[in-house]
Amino acid sequence: MSTTTDKTNIYLMGYMGCGKSHVGQQLAKFSHRQHLDTDKLIEKKAKMTIPQIFEQKGEKEFRAVEKEIVHQVALLQNHIISLGGGAVMDPENWETISNSGRTITLSYPPEIIMSRLSKKENRPLLNGTQDQTRLNRIKTMLEQRQPYYQRADLVLHFNQVISVDDIAKMLLTYCGV
Ligand code: S3P
């Protein structure tokens, strides 16, 4: 019987704006697996968007729902799962994730992340910042989170933007799916 110790899931982790959702979708398409996105599941469960959850319930409540969702997806087999950028920082989440699949970090330098997120208003942790203040916030958060992102089985750091298709193809080979 399959159990969560089979580690058949593939988790995409890393900072906001590094392409976890799109790469996950594409990798799932190429590998004929199911794709799930924890942020989308959180929104579905809460019946609110991520910014609304942060605004109306606060980050603590968001993290509580995120933890429930992480536990639920970890029970599945052979799924490609895109995680929210902060999910792997919780020790219990990390144990659940790393025991149920292989982990892949997607990473870009802060300047590229900044430009990729420039027109997006759906990242509450960066709200109210722009230009240099936003870049500094991204740099600080990245520095704090680096040790967590580095724990992945595979860390892909890109110094220039690579297409979603190309990253998904690279991962297809790595994952052997
Ligand atoms: C967060 C990242 C977001 C979302 C929430 C918190 C984080 O997901 O989960 O806004 O703490 O980095 P993405 O990484 O998909 O943007």
Side-chain angles (χ1 to χ4, degrees):
M1 198 183 82
S2 297
T3 68
T4 53
T5 54
D6 290 339
K7 295 181 72 149
T8 61
N9 288 331
I10 289 168
Y11 291 98
L12 291 164
M13 51 191 270
Y15 195 75
M16 296 176 261
C18 289
K20 303 177 296 282
S21 299
H22 288 124
V23 170
Q25 265 169 22
Q26 201 61 344
L27 179 60
K29 206 166 135 192
F30 288 160
S31 62
H32 308 290
R33 289 191 181 200
Q34 296 294 315
H35 174 247
L36 289 171
D37 188 310
T38 55
D39 281 346
K40 290 212 178 89
L41 295 172
I42 293 167
E43 289 184 328
K44 204 168 156 194
K45 188 173 170 71
K47 298 189 181 71
M48 278 186 240
T49 63
I50 304 279
Q52 283 169 340
I53 304 172
F54 270 76
E55 207 178 290
Q56 295 174 31
K57 309 245 173 177
E59 182 173 354
K60 204 168 163 214
E61 175 63 19
F62 170 80
R63 297 296 172 197
V65 183
E66 183 174 59
K67 183 172 281 196
E68 276 179 50
I69 296 294
V70 164
H71 275 90
Q72 281 171 17
V73 296
L75 296 172
L76 300 166
Q77 303 283 322
N78 296 307
H79 280 60
I80 312 280
I81 298 159
S82 303
L83 296 163
V88 296
M89 295 169 63
D90 176 271
E92 206 180 310
N93 284 353
W94 178 246
E95 204 183 320
T96 308
I97 290 164
S98 54
N99 283 332
S100 57
R102 278 177 291 164
T103 48
I104 299 166
T105 287
L106 301 181
S107 162
Y108 279 106
E111 292 75 12
I112 292 184
I113 292 177
M114 167 99 171
S115 73
R116 285 168 68 107
L117 293 174
S118 68
K119 292 191 180 69
K120 305 266 166 62
E121 297 297 332
N122 56 351
R123 301 310 204 288
L125 294 177
L126 295 175
N127 276 359
T129 60
Q130 51 187 330
D131 306 325
Q132 194 58 42
T133 330
R134 174 171 280 218
L135 184 60
N136 289 342
R137 167 84 63 92
I138 293 171
K139 284 182 178 170
T140 309
M141 287 178 78
L142 270 177
E143 220 164 276
Q144 288 165 347
R145 291 179 171 199
Q146 222 46 262
Y148 300 89
Y149 294 152
Q150 291 295 329
R151 294 188 295 191
D153 296 313
L154 176 71
V155 178
L156 288 181
H157 180 78
F158 304 108
N159 278 315
Q160 60 186 44
V161 178
I162 308 289
S163 78
V164 167
D165 266 28
D166 284 348
I167 300 177
K169 278 179 201 150
M170 267 179 230
L171 293 178
L172 201 55
T173 315
Y174 168 76
C175 298
V177 288

